[in-house]
Amino acid sequence: MRLVATALAASALRPTPTLQPQASGLYAHLPFCRRRCFYCDFPVVVAGDAVKEDRVAHYVSLLERELSKQPRSSKPLATVYLGGGTPSLVEPRFIKQLLDAIDAKHGISSKAEITLECDPGTFDAAKLQKYVDAGVTRVSLGCQSFDDEALEAAGRAHRRQDALDAVQAVKRVGPRHGWSLDLISGLPGTTPEGWMETLHEAHSLNPPHVSSYDLQVEEGTAFGKWYSDGESNGRPPLPQDEESADAYRVASSFWRSRGYLHYEVSSYARTEGEKSRHNSAYWKPRASWLGLGLGAASSEQGARFSRPRKMKDYEAWVADGAIVPESSPPHGADALEDELLTSLRTAAGIDLTRVRDVYSSEYERAVRRGAQEAIELGLAVVEGEVLKLTDPDGFLFSNYALAAVFGEVGDVCV
Amino acid sequence: MKRRRRVATALLLATATALAPPAARRPLTRLGAVDLEAETPASNIRNFAIIAHIDHGKSTLADRMLETTATVAARDMQAQLLDSMDLERERGITIKLNAARMAYEKDGEPYVLNLIDTPGHVDFSYEVSRSLAACEGALLVVDAAQGVQAQTLANVYLALENDLEIIPVLNKIDLPAAEPERVAEEIESTIGLDCTDAILASAKSGLGIGDVLDAIVERVPPPSDDQEKPTRCLIFDSKFDAYQGVVTYFRVVDGTGIAKGDKVKFLATGKTHDITEVGVMVPERIPVSDRALKPGEVGYFVASIKSVDDARVGDTVTVVKSQSHAVSTDEAEPLPGYAEATPMVFAGVFPTDADQYNALRDALGKLKLNDAALRYEAENSPAMGFGFRCGFLGLLHMEIVQERLEREYDVDLIITAPSVVYKVVPRQKNSEAVVEKVMKGEALKEGLIQEASEEDTPTVLVVDNPSRMPDKDRQQHTLEPYVRLEVIAPTEYTGPLMDLANERRGELVDMKYLTPTRTTVIYQMPLAEVITDFFDQVKSRTRGYASMEYALSGYRESPLVRLDVMINKELAAPLSTVVHEQDAQAAGKVLVRKLKEFIPRQMFKVPIQACVGANIVASVQLSAMRKDVLAKCYGGDISRKKKLLQKQAKGKKRMKAMGKVTVPQEAFMAVLNLRDSGGD
């Protein structure tokens, strides 16, 4: 009996092949940066302080060509996210050209959240006003820190004053869907006191949204090279795990005690309505979103595709017709793991009745088994039928908890 | 100085060439048409073995002889034919024996030469001795550049004990570094073997093969042929075959022989079986159905036997009933030299994944069918789950079993550090006398009783698992196995070798110069010290120039204590080890420090302690893991991060939970070497 039910559930989940994407959001990548920050492993194009217009024009035309090859979305887009790189290095007329092209192709809903990533020191109020006139409704501001030494040690091009000026500019223009303040904890040279100051300074600016990342030293980055041997080699030292873990805990209690919603591992919103709508879509099961540009990822009901990360390869790919290979969405353990990975990042957690209904009761039991240790350690809780990681400990050890659950889910024989 | 040595080598080389008879140029007698299965009188049979150190060319020589006698057509020739297991061929060592019957004509007379191969490792010296017992002669193959090695020496002594005619063969004489005269001298001085007639050969190029074959005919005595006695066959090997059951390899020693249809009795087990097939090895098995195999012949039989345990190496087979030939009604006496395989090294073998327990049990059962020396019994512990305590002949045997389990049966294993078998005698009336007997290796009442008793003779407690060693405060005698260890190395390394042996509780027995530049040192040493990284240390301290050999010499009383490990205040029994009282503290320190390296940080602080009884002798603290999070995870990152997590999940699976602490496999081997070898 259960077998039949499982089979039915599985067939219900299989997507009906459709030419029209189900996506409600689109991510477009604008890779230009003044310089590469020492921690960055994103696909960027280092352009110096002034980006040559013809390079931008050429790139935007590439995006337009890719757009022209995409199947039209079945409904107008509810969110657009222009990320980078440093999109605010791109002149507003190009942003307008791009948004117009996206609108012409897929349609952008009149209430859409359109986010532009901006770096302090690359725009003023007048420029921002032009972005808003072009359609931008939300700004994600890459402040990272208010500590000049930490900013310098991280290879950032801006300083504290630039960040404060940028916030004033954003406030003056007042984008419709507000703005987000991006911070990075655990940067080299930061002290617990320095981090507290950064938090206080950030709070005094009353941001509607805060993204607070714990620094991750990635292979292949400058930090990866410098700090991989555990030595600082004459540079400001990387904080000990203990300190950066504390920084994370401090940030969590700091923002929550000030009424912010800690709705995802690294995201805080002042109110329910000020959560990032675009990012929230990433954390939903079987999400669909469109991708556009260098290194951008797209997803069709969980079947993901990443565009080439090197400009040459991307150009060639577009020239070849920008073909997104057809692939069926993940199913079984594979799909459940995606869902666990994304859902457990959020404060909402994962609904176990959904796991039972969509996957099987066997999978549900596996998830519960795998979560047992985390529950005993206080990293996770089951409230009603919802499994959630605790804040901050569960979030801080989310890999540990997830790996245990993955271990059980991966062992379920189908 | 250097220059002079080079000249000397060149001179020796010239001599070698002069000495070498033009064997390769002589037309070889090929007997491709000879019926290999045909009956041959005992006077025309020669049974011989090859004694050689690893890499000294035994297998190549065997291959050349098979080729030369046209036993094996060149097209069927796989390099190193005799080593038939993959593992053997990969490692270039022989683990299980095989045999080959060759036809050879000399002076117009047809001969049958039976080569009985021997394993080449100390773990299998009992099998070697039984193979040698089936022969009248042996080729002693020594690399003309490297000289005599400890392993060779040990096997030569075994051959001499069995009264074998030994023919020295200096191999690889075409190598630039060959010094056949020096090596011949070395053989004469170490073994006392006359090397005037030593054969100079190069198995690789085929040089001297004819001389070797001729010498076997001329110098190895024919087998005796006493057909009046009851038939007796010596088992020198047995193998499990999936289709035929156990195939027993034997040498007919005396009597009227053994044929298909005979009812035979195994004297050690007392079991009888009906022979369904008899034959010879050429080296593949060829059935012989029209006659009996006669004294001196080497062959195999199949008799619906299910496990090699019922056809043990060294056992005597006698014919109790035959339809085809006369059978003596006299009671057959067992041939001398039979011994049961005694495992010397024990270790816990656990499946990585508890679900594989049944697969592991089945695999061990199947391996056991083909490996009489392997012992196993179920063991379980809260930390390791369900598994087995296994007994092995030595470290190589253990490694072979591990590899076969993982490779052939696809079971992932966690193996605890190997331990020896300790014996404990409670202090009571007559306990001193019992200790004496244990030391002499006499059979005694053994059991699980740990307490002193009112009985006249105390029971000996046999401890093959360190965690079962009784606490040290008990009134008891603790005994451990000792070996006689011989290491041959260039004289310049004698000092470092002796330092090493002293660190390992060795007692110098003897030191001899083999030649002015090569020395042998002989020690009495606890086996427990040898089965650590001892051989690696020997190699590293002699730059690989040493060879080593050891044999169990008996038990000795030592002040031994059980060193326990507490992880997070919980006893980790699989990590318990037995050490000399004086070493306990130092060993404990090394152990906890190593464990700290191996055990990943946990969610909480973890004290790691080494204890003897209630005394903590060493302690370290593993600090808690602080975070384990991927801060950023947006659309494009998910696939990559998912892979990371899957990897992490797999890693976690391979670890074992000690209470709440997960311990990776390497940690279980941390107890292998508890000495601070700071020199490395």
Side-chain angles (χ1 to χ4, degrees):
Chain A
M1 196 54 217
R2 200 180 69 221
L3 269 178
V4 176
T6 313
L8 278 176
S11 68
L13 278 169
R14 213 159 284 145
T16 36
T18 165
L19 288 173
Q20 291 200 316
Q22 304 282 310
S24 61
L26 180 145
Y27 175 85
H29 193 69
L30 296 162
F32 306 102
C33 277
R34 288 194 280 178
R35 50 197 278 196
R36 186 185 273 277
C37 303
F38 299 150
Y39 53 80
C40 172
D41 72 336
F42 277 75
V44 302
V45 172
V46 177
D49 285 342
V51 191
K52 291 210 178 75
E53 292 231 335
D54 53 337
R55 278 183 89 174
V56 178
H58 174 68
Y59 181 73
V60 171
S61 72
L62 272 176
L63 296 187
E64 284 176 322
R65 278 189 47 203
E66 191 196 337
L67 259 179
S68 72
K69 305 286 181 189
Q70 286 182 351
R72 186 188 298 273
S73 173
S74 57
K75 52 181 192 260
L77 300 171
T79 65
V80 174
Y81 197 99
L82 306 177
T86 311
S88 53
L89 280 179
V90 174
E91 282 306 311
R93 62 185 171 91
F94 289 118
I95 299 294
K96 179 169 169 42
Q97 185 186 338
L98 180 58
L99 287 174
D100 286 350
I102 294 169
D103 187 32
K105 178 75 191 192
H106 298 297
I108 299 178
S109 152
S110 58
K111 291 176 189 156
E113 170 194 280
I114 302 173
T115 307
L116 182 77
E117 283 187 345
C118 296
D119 270 10
T122 61
F123 69 95
D124 55 15
K127 189 175 181 185
L128 184 58
Q129 187 59 54
K130 288 185 191 156
Y131 287 134
V132 169
D133 294 343
V136 170
T137 66
R138 186 171 177 272
V139 165
S140 173
L141 198 56
C143 295
Q144 323 306 14
S145 172
F146 292 104
D147 177 342
D148 277 350
E149 276 173 45
L151 288 169
E152 177 161 5
R156 292 291 298 177
H158 80 271
R159 294 294 176 264
R160 172 174 177 272
Q161 195 52 54
D162 299 320
L164 295 176
D165 293 347
V167 172
Q168 290 322 309
V170 172
K171 285 188 165 176
R172 204 170 313 145
V173 175
R176 181 153 45 115
H177 290 117
W179 58 285
S180 175
L181 182 81
D182 290 358
L183 296 174
I184 301 180
S185 61
L187 286 171
T190 33
T191 58
E193 296 76 25
W195 178 238
M196 272 318 287
E197 279 172 30
T198 287
L199 289 175
H200 278 293
E201 188 125 41
H203 182 247
S204 71
L205 302 170
N206 194 20
H209 186 277
V210 178
S211 293
S212 183
Y213 304 111
D214 175 46
L215 175 73
Q216 222 137 316
V217 177
E218 302 283 356
E219 247 179 82
T221 63
F223 276 176
K225 254 174 271 166
W226 298 337
Y227 295 111
S228 60
D229 59 355
E231 303 289 321
S232 59
N233 301 315
R235 296 171 192 280
L238 212 54
Q240 298 285 310
D241 273 4
E242 188 162 6
E243 278 173 36
S244 53
D246 281 346
Y248 182 88
R249 286 199 176 88
V250 163
S252 173
S253 58
F254 179 91
W255 292 112
R256 283 187 294 145
S257 66
R258 283 156 182 80
Y260 282 75
L261 306 165
H262 191 181
Y263 70 100
E264 189 261 350
V265 169
S266 306
S267 309
Y268 302 84
R270 198 168 50 186
T271 63
E272 190 66 35
E274 284 166 314
K275 289 177 177 176
S276 162
R277 277 154 58 191
H278 183 84
N279 286 345
S280 294
Y282 290 143
W283 303 316
K284 290 215 172 82
R286 292 168 195 283
S288 298
W289 68 87
L290 297 164
L292 184 62
L294 184 74
S298 53
S299 168
E300 181 61 35
Q301 295 188 48
R304 280 181 297 271
F305 172 72
S306 286
R307 283 147 192 76
R309 286 171 66 94
K310 285 196 178 130
M311 191 57 91
K312 244 192 197 163
D313 299 340
Y314 173 69
E315 278 198 71
W317 177 76
V318 172
D320 282 350
I323 294 160
V324 175
E326 252 188 76
S327 65
S328 42
H331 57 91
D334 202 20
L336 179 53
E337 282 175 358
D338 283 353
E339 205 166 322
L340 286 160
L341 174 59
T342 48
S343 300
L344 286 176
R345 291 190 68 81
T346 66
I350 189 164
D351 184 350
L352 295 172
T353 54
R354 184 188 139 78
V355 174
R356 184 168 58 226
D357 295 346
V358 173
Y359 297 92
S360 70
S361 50
E362 227 172 306
Y363 276 120
E364 186 213 346
R365 282 195 297 272
V367 172
R368 285 181 190 271
R369 268 200 310 279
Q372 198 48 46
E373 189 196 3
I375 293 170
E376 281 165 23
L377 290 168
L379 302 181
V381 288
V382 175
E383 287 175 6
E385 292 285 283
V386 177
L387 173 68
K388 301 172 181 178
L389 296 185
T390 54
D391 184 1
D393 283 350
F395 283 150
L396 200 47
F397 291 96
S398 52
N399 285 359
Y400 187 88
L402 276 166
V405 179
F406 273 33
E408 292 294 335
V409 167
D411 272 2
V412 172
C413 297
V414 193
Chain B
M1 191 59 210
K2 233 179 186 163
R3 195 188 164 85
R4 253 175 57 202
R5 195 179 298 157
R6 203 177 312 132
V7 173
T9 314
L11 273 176
L12 270 171
L13 258 181
T15 332
T17 323
L19 273 173
R25 290 193 296 275
R26 196 171 53 188
L28 292 169
T29 322
R30 290 194 178 271
L31 287 176
V34 161
D35 183 0
L36 269 170
E37 305 107 79
E39 184 165 351
T40 309
S43 57
N44 283 21
I45 295 176
R46 300 291 181 271
N47 295 323
F48 70 102
I50 304 179
I51 297 170
H53 188 70
I54 298 160
D55 286 341
H56 281 199
K58 179 175 77 170
S59 302
T60 317
L61 180 63
D63 289 350
R64 284 299 157 269
M65 292 198 291
L66 290 176
E67 266 178 11
T68 306
T69 59
T71 307
V72 176
R75 68 186 149 81
D76 294 336
M77 199 71 200
Q78 255 178 304
Q80 308 198 348
L81 203 76
L82 283 176
D83 302 343
S84 57
M85 270 166 45
D86 283 353
L87 209 64
E88 297 180 22
R89 203 164 290 143
E90 266 166 39
R91 291 162 158 262
I93 52 168
T94 316
I95 296 158
K96 286 298 259 181
L97 340 174
N98 229 314
R101 179 176 172 124
M102 296 175 262
Y104 186 67
E105 197 183 273
K106 185 171 185 298
D107 306 326
E109 189 74 15
Y111 290 91
V112 164
L113 313 184
N114 288 311
L115 163 60
I116 298 176
D117 198 16
T118 57
H121 191 273
V122 54
D123 283 4
F124 305 100
S125 58
Y126 173 68
E127 274 90 341
V128 179
S129 79
R130 294 307 85 204
S131 292
L132 294 176
C135 300
E136 278 77 28
L139 301 175
L140 167 62
V141 179
V142 181
D143 185 315
Q146 291 185 41
V148 179
Q149 305 291 314
Q151 179 71 66
T152 330
L153 221 51
N155 287 344
V156 170
Y157 292 138
L158 280 177
L160 291 172
E161 273 170 34
N162 282 293
D163 279 333
L164 264 51
E165 176 67 31
I166 295 174
I167 303 170
V169 177
L170 302 179
N171 193 23
K172 306 194 188 180
I173 53 156
D174 50 353
L175 287 185
E179 296 177 85
E181 289 199 333
R182 174 182 72 76
V183 171
E185 242 173 66
E186 204 174 272
I187 295 173
E188 289 189 347
S189 71
T190 48
I191 307 167
L193 205 63
D194 182 6
C195 281
T196 333
D197 296 325
I199 298 166
L200 300 177
S202 166
K204 208 167 175 192
S205 66
L207 202 71
I209 303 302
D211 298 308
V212 172
L213 291 164
D214 284 351
I216 292 168
V217 171
E218 284 163 13
R219 288 155 69 176
V220 175
S224 67
D225 181 16
D226 191 344
Q227 304 212 6
E228 299 303 308
K229 283 189 186 167
T231 297
R232 292 192 297 176
C233 304
L234 171 67
I235 301 179
F236 63 84
D237 192 15
S238 59
K239 269 190 183 138
F240 184 81
D241 179 290
Y243 301 103
Q244 295 188 292
V246 172
V247 179
T248 306
Y249 296 87
F250 62 92
R251 143 88 193 263
V252 187
V253 179
D254 36 36
T256 47
I258 188 166
K260 181 179 171 181
D262 288 358
K263 187 183 272 300
V264 293
K265 184 176 177 186
F266 290 75
L267 296 186
T269 60
K271 290 188 179 163
T272 57
H273 291 275
D274 291 317
I275 291 185
T276 55
E277 184 180 318
V278 167
V280 293
M281 292 77 76
V282 294
E284 73 276 17
R285 298 198 292 266
I286 297 194
V288 173
S289 45
D290 56 347
R291 66 178 184 90
L293 294 191
K294 290 288 170 57
E297 286 198 277
V298 174
Y300 74 91
F301 66 71
V302 177
S304 313
I305 302 170
K306 290 194 185 67
S307 161
V308 290
D309 219 21
D310 289 336
R312 299 180 192 168
V313 171
D315 195 3
T316 305
V317 178
T318 185
V319 177
V320 289
K321 210 166 111 191
S322 174
Q323 292 158 345
S324 61
H325 57 107
V327 169
S328 164
T329 50
D330 295 349
E331 190 82 1
E333 287 282 310
L335 293 158
Y338 171 73
E340 270 183 52
T342 341
M344 305 235 280
V345 172
F346 283 79
V349 175
F350 296 86
T352 306
D353 185 342
D355 296 346
Q356 286 199 305
Y357 174 78
N358 286 335
L360 174 60
R361 191 191 52 211
D362 294 349
L364 280 168
K366 281 180 196 156
L367 267 191
K368 173 78 183 158
L369 291 179
N370 205 10
D371 187 345
L374 173 67
R375 295 272 179 83
Y376 67 95
E377 60 178 41
E379 181 185 0
N380 66 74
S381 73
M384 308 291 287
F386 288 90
F388 296 91
R389 188 82 190 159
C390 295
F392 309 97
L393 294 172
L395 288 186
L396 178 71
H397 186 212
M398 171 170 138
E399 214 179 301
I400 289 163
V401 170
Q402 177 182 5
E403 268 193 63
R404 293 192 64 182
L405 288 172
E406 295 198 318
R407 198 188 293 207
E408 294 169 31
Y409 298 96
D410 202 23
V411 188
D412 280 341
L413 301 175
I414 287 182
I415 298 197
T416 61
S419 100
V420 301
V421 180
Y422 298 98
K423 294 191 177 174
V424 180
V425 182
R427 266 183 217 280
Q428 66 178 66
K429 196 165 68 175
N430 289 334
S431 62
E432 304 284 343
V434 169
V435 167
E436 285 281 308
K437 286 185 179 170
V438 172
M439 289 168 71
K440 284 185 194 144
E442 285 176 35
L444 282 158
K445 193 166 61 164
E446 292 182 339
L448 294 171
I449 300 157
Q450 298 186 12
E451 313 287 341
S453 69
E454 293 300 313
E455 286 183 38
D456 286 348
T457 316
T459 306
V460 179
L461 172 68
V462 179
V463 179
D464 63 20
N465 185 340
S467 65
R468 302 225 186 95
M469 186 79 170
D471 287 340
K472 82 162 197 176
D473 49 1
R474 281 180 195 283
Q475 292 298 306
Q476 63 200 3
H477 304 269
T478 46
L479 295 101
E480 64 177 326
Y482 263 67
V483 293
R484 178 190 182 276
L485 172 89
E486 178 160 10
V487 185
I488 298 180
T491 306
E492 61 203 280
Y493 300 118
T494 311
L497 270 180
M498 291 171 87
D499 290 345
L500 174 65
N502 291 336
E503 286 165 26
R504 304 292 168 108
R505 299 194 279 140
E507 274 172 33
L508 185 66
V509 174
D510 199 2
M511 187 186 109
K512 283 185 290 205
Y513 289 97
L514 298 180
T515 64
T517 55
R518 298 225 306 158
T519 308
T520 173
V521 285
I522 296 165
Y523 272 88
Q524 279 291 334
M525 190 182 281
L527 175 62
E529 300 283 347
V530 181
I531 63 166
T532 59
D533 63 338
F534 184 75
F535 189 44
D536 290 336
Q537 283 293 319
V538 165
K539 281 189 288 189
S540 88
R541 296 197 193 190
T542 60
R543 299 177 180 231
Y545 282 114
S547 65
M548 177 180 116
E549 166 68 26
Y550 61 87
L552 194 67
S553 60
Y555 274 77
R556 285 207 197 179
E557 202 172 346
S558 301
L560 301 170
V561 294
R562 190 185 71 240
L563 185 66
D564 288 328
V565 174
M566 309 276 281
I567 297 177
N568 202 28
K569 305 262 159 84
E570 284 188 55
L571 176 69
L575 290 168
S576 288
T577 174
V578 172
V579 295
H580 191 275
E581 199 169 31
Q582 283 182 351
D583 294 338
Q585 188 164 14
K589 278 190 177 150
V590 176
L591 180 54
V592 295
R593 202 185 62 215
K594 278 191 173 182
L595 287 171
K596 189 182 172 186
E597 275 169 39
F598 286 130
I599 300 175
R601 296 213 278 169
Q602 313 281 321
M603 297 291 306
F604 36 81
K605 268 189 257 174
V606 178
I608 304 172
Q609 297 157 316
C611 326
V612 173
N615 291 338
I616 295 169
V617 297
S619 174
V620 290
Q621 180 120 300
L622 186 66
S623 54
M625 178 164 62
R626 301 299 178 182
K627 58 170 186 173
D628 188 9
V629 60
L630 301 164
K632 233 176 178 172
C633 184
Y634 289 144
D637 299 331
I638 295 175
S639 308
R640 210 179 95 208
K641 303 209 159 157
K642 188 168 139 195
K643 271 187 201 126
L644 282 175
L645 283 169
Q646 282 167 336
K647 211 172 136 193
Q648 195 170 341
K650 257 195 193 141
K652 211 176 154 95
K653 278 251 137 167
R654 277 199 75 90
M655 296 192 216
K656 286 284 174 186
M658 295 278 179
K660 283 187 166 178
V661 181
T662 43
V663 177
Q665 180 161 17
E666 306 86 55
F668 296 102
M669 296 313 266
V671 281
L672 254 186
N673 176 24
L674 297 183
R675 279 203 177 66
D676 211 346
S677 31
D680 296 335

